[in-house]
Amino acid sequence: MSWDLLLLPIPAGYASVDGGGERLDVVLNHRPFPSDLATPPLGTHEQVKAALLSQLPSIEFWDTRPWGSLAGPTWSIELNLGSADPVESITLYVRGKVDDALQAVFAIAEAVGCCVINM
């Protein structure tokens, strides 16, 4: 099984996501997330890595790419910080028994102050 997730620092008040066909809209009281609302950056690559490692020290980051990985007994997660600096979002690629990975997924999101969005 696989599961792709987006981590974004969504402002307070936007609490749910509406998959609405082909578009993914974050909604507040059933109103779409404004297209011109910019989310704040998560920090530089080094700041984001430090925040993640402070909560999950077993994450391994590549030296040459903005990627990392974390593995449990029945699952693995690849983290893509993207090439932009500062980091604007994180994409997670969860493989294996995704239900077993939920605790790690939410720990990653909490470490960087993000909401988890199913892609």
Side-chain angles (χ1 to χ4, degrees), residues 11-24:
Y14 291 90
S16 64
V17 175
D18 176 13
E22 294 183 19
R23 287 190 30 192
L24 184 68

Side-chain angles (χ1 to χ4, degrees), residues 1-86:
M1 177 105 190
S2 65
W3 192 23
D4 298 342
L5 304 167
L6 179 66
L7 304 185
L8 278 176
I10 296 173
Y14 291 90
S16 64
V17 175
D18 176 13
E22 294 183 19
R23 287 190 30 192
L24 184 68
D25 294 318
V26 179
V27 295
L28 169 64
N29 298 327
H30 304 287
R31 291 179 296 158
F33 190 74
S35 61
D36 62 346
L37 182 62
T39 58
L42 303 177
T44 66
H45 278 127
E46 293 309 312
Q47 290 169 329
V48 171
K49 287 178 183 179
L52 291 166
L53 289 169
S54 72
Q55 297 297 314
L56 298 148
S58 57
I59 295 176
E60 296 179 9
F61 285 100
W62 284 271
D63 291 333
T64 58
R65 297 179 3 174
W67 285 76
S69 64
L70 179 65
T74 61
W75 53 267
S76 66
I77 301 173
E78 289 187 341
L79 301 85
N80 181 353
L81 306 183
S83 59
D85 204 351

